[in-house]
Amino acid sequence: MPSSLPVMARAPTFSYPDQDGRPLTNEDLLDHVWVADFIYTRCTTACPILSARMMMVQRKVADSSVRFVSFSVDPDHDSLPVLKRYAARWTSDESRWRLLHTNKKTLRGLAAGLLAVAEPTGDPRDPFVHSNTFLLVDQAGFIRGEYRSDDPSEVDRLSDDIRLLLGATEAKAERSAASPDSTATGERLFVELGCQGCHSQAKIARPLGGVFGSVVTLEDGRTVEANEAYLRESILAPGEKVVRGYPGTMPSYAGQLSDAQLTLLVDYLESLRGAPAKAERVRAVDPVCKMEISAGPDTARAEYEGRTYYFCGAPCRRRFARDPGKYARP
Ligand code: HEC
């Protein structure tokens, strides 16, 4: 056995089709290091965090032999096309990620074999209990580690343990693949860090086009202008200012990003423009100075309580941002 990791159990046998309809069995995974988790695609709380963290581990571990396996706990709903769409939302490279269509009869036993839990609850709002951990399985099919998805430092521990199983030569290759980030763009980071998976599903988190420069209403009723500082804080300490109408499920990326990467992300978010798209113009009245304006993509604007307001310029928008309730239409 390579490495000092404990040998926890032998991974169970299984055979399920993946998002492309290809069968995958535990035997197919022999000689591979693989990471397992349990999700269902309708889940808006724990699973998006699992999937986002899985994206981050995939990003950190460049070795193409490592496999990532997500077992759906909701086989009734998660058909192959549904799993395919889910995968595509999270990543543009599904080559290492297999999402498996399980079946109800074998699911509980499978989960137990992976030291996890996966069971229906009967509650339509929260239909399944499932572990929110990652399991690490070695090349011989033994479980070697268990990692929590709600703790960002576990992403690093899991990535390190994968490298340990792969052996020292891989660790070297890993470093060179991880260090130069010269090809990274904000848009790519947005996908690879799992941001897109959540922010492309309004049920989980709102799309971020047009957020920069808008006025955001927070959970506690406060309003803030979405400037650069706000965007940075949203990424590093999302719990500080939670957007009204959304659960605080956004995971913190503190310690996971270099300053250069954070800047790329924030620049990307700033470059996203909200509606109206293209060169369309709309007639509007500036709610502060009451001037009539023809609003286009460059017009100063703010979102407040679900409505877009346009301004003759930045000074009126600033006045609005300080006290939107005073100017907003009832
Ligand atoms: C697991 C889902 C999830 C992931 C992954 C995620 N977010 Fe979020 N994000 C949320 C939710 C939910 C909110 C709204 C609640 C809040 O403010 O914390 C949010 C809020 C935000 C906000 C504030 C937006 C606003 O509407 O005012 C920004 C900016 C943001 N996220 C950027 C990012 C970036 C950049 C990434 C990737 C590095 C990312 N998010 C990853 C779920 C996620």
Side-chain angles (χ1 to χ4, degrees), residues 1-20:
M1 285 291 157
S3 92
S4 54
L5 300 175
V7 177
M8 300 167 76
R10 186 187 280 280
T13 58
F14 62 84
S15 172
Y16 298 120
D18 74 0
Q19 72 267 34
D20 292 312

Side-chain angles (χ1 to χ4, degrees), residues 103-293:
N103 71 59
K104 281 195 279 197
K105 263 193 240 125
T106 52
L107 183 60
R108 187 193 292 220
L110 169 86
L114 280 168
L115 313 178
V117 177
E119 272 171 48
T121 58
D123 175 356
R125 281 169 311 149
D126 194 11
F128 300 94
V129 280
H130 61 95
S131 303
N132 58 356
T133 49
F134 297 110
L135 289 312
L136 174 62
V137 184
D138 70 16
Q139 295 92 329
F142 288 95
I143 302 172
R144 304 298 294 274
E146 200 177 357
Y147 309 81
R148 288 169 47 184
S149 61
D150 57 357
D151 175 351
S153 70
E154 293 276 272
V155 168
D156 293 328
R157 191 168 70 90
L158 173 54
S159 308
D160 289 346
D161 287 355
I162 293 173
R163 284 179 202 136
L164 218 57
L165 291 178
L166 290 171
T169 40
E170 292 305 329
K172 245 185 273 141
E174 223 51 74
R175 261 195 300 282
S176 54
S179 45
D181 224 4
S182 52
T183 57
T185 64
E187 191 171 2
R188 260 190 52 199
L189 286 170
F190 193 73
V191 176
E192 292 177 1
L193 296 169
C195 321
Q196 173 178 271
C198 284
H199 284 282
S200 61
Q201 282 284 296
K203 262 185 283 175
I204 300 173
R206 63 177 177 156
L208 295 174
V211 166
F212 177 65
S214 71
V215 174
V216 178
T217 308
L218 303 177
E219 185 192 43
D220 56 12
R222 279 181 304 159
T223 52
V224 287
E225 179 172 358
N227 54 21
E228 200 177 311
Y230 169 80
L231 294 179
R232 292 176 85 91
E233 185 187 48
S234 296
I235 297 167
L236 297 179
E240 291 295 315
K241 297 195 175 71
V242 175
V243 181
R244 172 175 283 183
Y246 284 98
T249 44
M250 163 125 177
S252 163
Y253 284 84
Q256 300 293 326
L257 297 171
S258 66
D259 207 55
Q261 291 175 324
L262 185 60
T263 303
L264 283 172
L265 270 174
V266 168
D267 287 350
Y268 171 66
L269 296 181
E270 289 184 15
S271 76
L272 294 175
R273 290 187 182 271
K278 295 169 260 142
E280 272 168 40
R281 304 195 80 82
V282 292
R283 300 202 67 75
V285 175
D286 180 322
V288 178
C289 68
K290 309 288 184 228
M291 188 175 126
E292 228 185 86
I293 43 181

